[in-house]
Structures are given as structure tokens and as C-alpha cells.
Amino acid sequence: MSLDIQKIRNDFPILSRQVYKKPLIYFDNGATTQKPQVVLDEEIKIYTQENSNIHRGVHYLSEQLTQRYEDARKVVQKFVNAPYDHEVIFTSGTTESINTIAFSYGEKYVNEGDEIIISTLEHHANIVPWQVLCERKKAVLKVIPINESGELILDEYEKMISPKTKMVSVNHVSNALGIVNDVKRIIEIAHQNDVPVLVDGAQSVQHGKVDVQELDCDFFVFSGHKVYGPNGIGVIYGKEKWLNEMPPFMTGGEMIKKVTFEKTTFNELPFKFEAGTPNYVAAIGLATAIDYIQDVGIENIIEYEKELLDYATQKLESIEGLKIVGTAEKKISVISFNLDNIHHYDAGMVIDKMGIAVRTGHHCAEPLMQRFNIEGTIRASFSFYNTKEEIDKLCEAIITVKQMFG
Ligand code: PLP
């Protein structure tokens, strides 16, 4: 293993703080990741030295920062291997990205009786925008089922797709269970039927290599704050053939070519989808975060996080009365589990008191919890700054929970 974990940990100031007088153990990386000092420094530098609204002024600061914002777009383009930088649109996060596509694509292409396919594994952010679209257009939402280990049943998906299908929208990695979906196969099947596919990459870009051209997805979305970048920034990658045809989602400044009181014409890509002042500070911060993880090395991250996941799975499985939810073979960095006869909230509260941050509840995936007949789980989600010693501490905390409630 080629990572110096202690050196990496030193890059993240928050990791050296204490919680309840105990060293913080942060296992809630699926919710948001911590930020390295370089990202924080970049944001301070912009506000103290470079701040100015972009795309507007002809003055020095505005021109410089506009260039840096557009350079950030190119960093994201390379990160996901998009063919063109104008196919990268900055949003506030995955949620806004999916809402933008659902509204805008739906406005143009979805009509009464049409069908949209999602999966049982989705986060609410990839359910509700499609549900609302279906209500608005009197379309039908269809859901790919899963088996007991949490894998999508692709035979059922194949049977579901029809000339009425207008979009397939699935996550790359499930936030609640960590299961990696075979999106390449899902896309192939959709494309054989001329149906576009949106891949929700909120839980995949931080754990592995994403190549939108290799996947051949039509849309790919993710959030900056889950990939070691700032809050308030997200991305849509979309094939230009779709984005050019789709109407804008939000309207206002910057997304226009010409405005009169009689008529407005819209700007070109990517600006057509970036109404108003964008979060240029966060966009540049995201580019800094991407540079940072590329320095760490995506291959190193994949290898080390797999080691952590395997170690944690083996240790947790050996605890009597602990049941892992989502036992599919292909998983990334997340373990969801329950303890016999102990409510996940009670367990989470005790674990928290030991300085360990885990997530408890339905993880914004209520239909998935309903599928397993549970209210929620305890979720530990790992990053390359976590260690095996921290996993040992989590196991000790779980034993204490069992002793307290057992
Ligand atoms: N999709 C998935 C798979 C997620 O895990 C999340 C957040 O947890 C989202 C969408 C929503 O992301 P955001 O809250 O950053 O918009």
C-alpha cells in the first residue's frame, strides 16, 4: 500500500479535533467528506485577494476570476473525461443537477403515458424529481427491483423497458448500502432501446475512476462536498446533443443572449443552464479538491479503501447479532448494519458519545428501507483518511452498545 495515511490525515485539520474529549473518528463520509487545507486556503485566497463577480466586468479582477472559473470547468471535464468543457454545467449540488435534468428534459421529451425508470436503491434526490415530473406530465414511474443482497435485478429491468420509456435514472453507487451498480450494462440496454440514461454519481466519483465516454452515459451528476470540495457546488455532465435541445431550468441573468420585453433568446452551453451568479469560489475549490485527490492517486484510493472495507466487513460480521444490510459482492466504502433487538438510533447515540460519527436512519432512501422491512440502519462510510485502528474502535463501541442494551 503506497499511501502515507498519517501525512494525509494532517492535510485535514478537522481530523485532529476531539469530540466528547475523545479523538474524532469520522465515518460519515457518505453524507459529506472533510476538506483538506488546500481547499480551505484556496477559498480564503479568493475572498481575500481575487473576489469579483465573473463573466460581467471588463476589469482585471473579474477577467482573472472568470478565467479561473472556466479553468475549473476544464478540471472537472478532465476528471470525468467529458469530450467538451461546455458539457460541464455547475449547479449547487446533485439535487439541483437531477432537478434541472428532470424538469428540463421532461419538459421537452416526456408526455402523457410515457415512462421513467429508476431503481429501488435510489436516494430521494433521484426519486422525487421524477415523481413530480410524472405527476406534471401524467407519466408513469417504474422501479427496478432488487434481490435480497441488494443487487438490481437486470432481467426485470430489461423486461420493463419499452417504447414508452423516456429516461432511465440510476445511481452508480448506493448511498445507503454501498452497492456498485452495473451502470455500463444498464446504459447498453437503454441505448439498444434509444433511451438516455442519467447516472447519479454522488457516491462514486470520490471512490473510483469515472469516464463518462467509456460509460457512454447521457448525463452524470455529482456534488462537490462529497468529493472533498466545498459545499454549494455540483456538476451536470450532459451530452451536448441533449443539452442543446433541452429548455433552461432557471432563467435570469447570464443565461440569456438578448432580452427585450417582447422576447428573450438564450445563451449557448454551458451558460444556458447557469442562471445568475454562480458559486465561482466553490467551483474553483472543487477543482482544487480534484487536484488534491489526483495527487493522492485514484488508484491508491481504490486500493486502500477496498482494504478498509474488507477489514471492516470481516470484523463487523464477527460480532454476534450484527446483520449487514446489502451483501452484494460489488461494494464501495459503505457498511450498513443493524443490531438484533437494538434500535439504530439508540446504538448511534452511544457510538456518538465515543467520538465516532456514524449515520443512523433511512439515509434518504425510505423506499429501500421499506423493501427490507426495516426503519433504518447504522451506516459507517469510509474515506482514504480513515484507518483500521478507527474501525477497531467502532467494533469496541458496538460491543459496548450490546452490553448496555443486551
Ligand atoms: N444522490 C445520492 C446517491 C446521494 O448519496 C446524495 C446525498 O447523500 C444525493 C444524491 C444528494 O446530494 P446533495 O445533497 O449533495 O444534493
Side-chain angles (χ1 to χ4, degrees):
M1 201 272 299
S2 40
L3 290 183
D4 182 345
I5 301 303
Q6 194 48 54
K7 184 165 167 292
I8 285 172
R9 288 179 67 83
N10 293 341
D11 293 337
F12 292 81
I14 202 170
L15 296 181
S16 55
R17 71 159 288 174
Q18 299 209 328
V19 169
Y20 305 117
K21 300 201 171 118
K22 305 212 165 57
L24 167 69
I25 296 179
Y26 187 75
F27 283 150
D28 197 15
N29 296 287
T32 199
T33 51
Q34 300 302 349
K35 320 302 170 200
Q37 188 67 50
V38 279
V39 170
L40 308 174
D41 287 348
E42 191 61 58
E43 295 210 291
I44 290 171
K45 182 168 146 247
I46 296 170
Y47 282 125
T48 53
Q49 302 291 323
E50 304 174 354
N51 187 44
S52 174
N53 207 332
I54 59 165
H55 291 140
R56 291 168 195 223
V58 287
H59 60 79
Y60 180 84
L61 288 183
S62 179
E63 279 187 356
Q64 294 285 309
L65 208 55
T66 301
Q67 189 56 52
R68 297 202 63 208
Y69 178 73
E70 291 307 323
D71 289 346
R73 198 188 302 281
K74 290 195 175 78
V75 171
V76 174
Q77 177 203 349
K78 288 212 182 75
F79 182 52
V80 296
N81 195 29
Y84 307 109
D85 60 351
H86 60 256
E87 293 180 314
V88 171
I89 289 153
F90 284 121
T91 64
S92 65
T94 305
T95 301
E96 188 182 305
S97 297
I98 298 174
N99 273 277
T100 301
I101 299 163
F103 179 87
S104 168
Y105 175 90
E107 211 39 31
K108 172 97 182 176
Y109 294 105
V110 179
N111 294 305
E112 189 170 342
D114 285 341
E115 294 173 358
I116 306 287
I117 297 180
I118 58 170
S119 90
T120 310
L121 287 175
E122 301 313 314
H123 186 282
H124 295 164
N126 198 27
I127 301 173
V128 187
W130 301 110
Q131 235 167 19
V132 169
L133 166 68
C134 287
E135 272 169 33
R136 194 170 85 242
K137 293 285 191 144
K138 300 196 173 59
V140 181
L141 191 66
K142 299 217 148 179
V143 184
I144 308 170
I146 53 172
N147 62 24
E148 276 311 305
S149 65
E151 285 158 336
L152 296 181
I153 306 174
L154 293 187
D155 290 347
E156 293 296 323
Y157 161 61
E158 248 183 299
K159 283 187 222 150
M160 209 175 260
I161 203 156
S162 82
K164 287 186 187 164
T165 312
K166 287 290 144 73
M167 171 69 86
V168 175
S169 188
V170 289
N171 62 35
H172 201 172
V173 174
S174 147
N175 65 304
L177 308 182
I179 292 171
V180 183
N181 290 318
D182 187 355
V183 283
K184 197 155 165 58
R185 182 75 195 118
I186 291 171
I187 293 164
E188 272 166 14
I189 294 169
H191 285 180
Q192 282 157 13
N193 293 271
D194 291 328
V195 177
V197 179
L198 183 159
V199 177
D200 171 357
Q203 298 291 342
S204 66
V205 279
Q206 63 280 56
H207 300 299
K209 179 108 202 69
V210 168
D211 182 333
V212 293
Q213 294 190 66
E214 207 239 308
L215 286 177
D216 198 24
C217 54
D218 298 86
F219 301 96
F220 187 93
V221 297
F222 66 95
S223 296
H225 72 97
K226 292 183 195 286
V227 57
Y228 308 98
N231 278 51
I233 190 76
V235 169
I236 296 176
Y237 154 75
K239 285 184 180 168
E240 67 172 4
K241 70 166 180 175
W242 296 115
L243 294 176
N244 273 329
E245 294 300 316
M246 286 158 50
F249 174 50
M250 289 210 290
T251 54
E254 277 312 298
M255 52 74 66
I256 50 86
K257 202 172 249 164
K258 184 159 179 60
V259 180
T260 66
F261 282 124
E262 287 71 40
K263 188 169 170 57
T264 293
T265 49
F266 301 131
N267 208 336
E268 288 157 4
L269 293 177
F271 311 111
K272 183 171 100 177
F273 288 101
E274 292 183 358
T277 300
N279 194 342
Y280 48 83
V281 180
I284 297 167
L286 170 60
T288 309
I290 290 172
D291 287 344
Y292 176 84
I293 59 171
Q294 283 174 333
D295 279 351
V296 174
I298 306 279
E299 292 303 328
N300 292 333
I301 291 174
I302 294 170
E303 190 189 327
Y304 179 62
E305 289 185 351
K306 179 171 186 323
E307 209 178 298
L308 281 183
L309 182 71
D310 289 348
Y311 183 77
T313 306
Q314 194 207 345
K315 287 220 65 162
L316 288 171
E317 268 175 352
S318 69
I319 298 176
E320 216 189 301
L322 185 149
K323 184 166 178 284
I324 293 180
V325 185
T327 48
E329 213 169 283
K330 286 200 83 184
K331 284 178 68 176
I332 286 183
S333 281
V334 171
I335 302 187
S336 249
F337 59 92
N338 274 315
L339 297 167
D340 273 354
N341 304 320
I342 302 173
H343 197 276
H344 50 270
Y345 281 130
D346 293 335
M349 273 166 61
V350 176
I351 294 170
D352 170 55
K353 291 287 179 298
M354 298 176 193
I356 305 173
V358 288
R359 181 87 178 260
T360 55
H362 53 60
H363 316 297
C364 294
E366 280 192 71
L368 175 61
M369 299 297 127
Q370 287 152 13
R371 161 64 181 78
F372 281 110
N373 259 323
I374 52 178
E375 261 180 61
T377 69
I378 304 159
R379 181 186 74 178
S381 47
F382 309 113
S383 154
F384 55 82
Y385 47 58
N386 290 126
T387 65
K388 288 184 185 163
E389 291 72 38
E390 289 181 318
I391 291 168
D392 292 342
K393 287 265 182 330
L394 173 65
C395 293
E396 284 166 26
I398 293 168
I399 306 284
T400 308
V401 169
K402 280 178 37 124
Q403 284 161 355
M404 280 176 76
F405 294 97

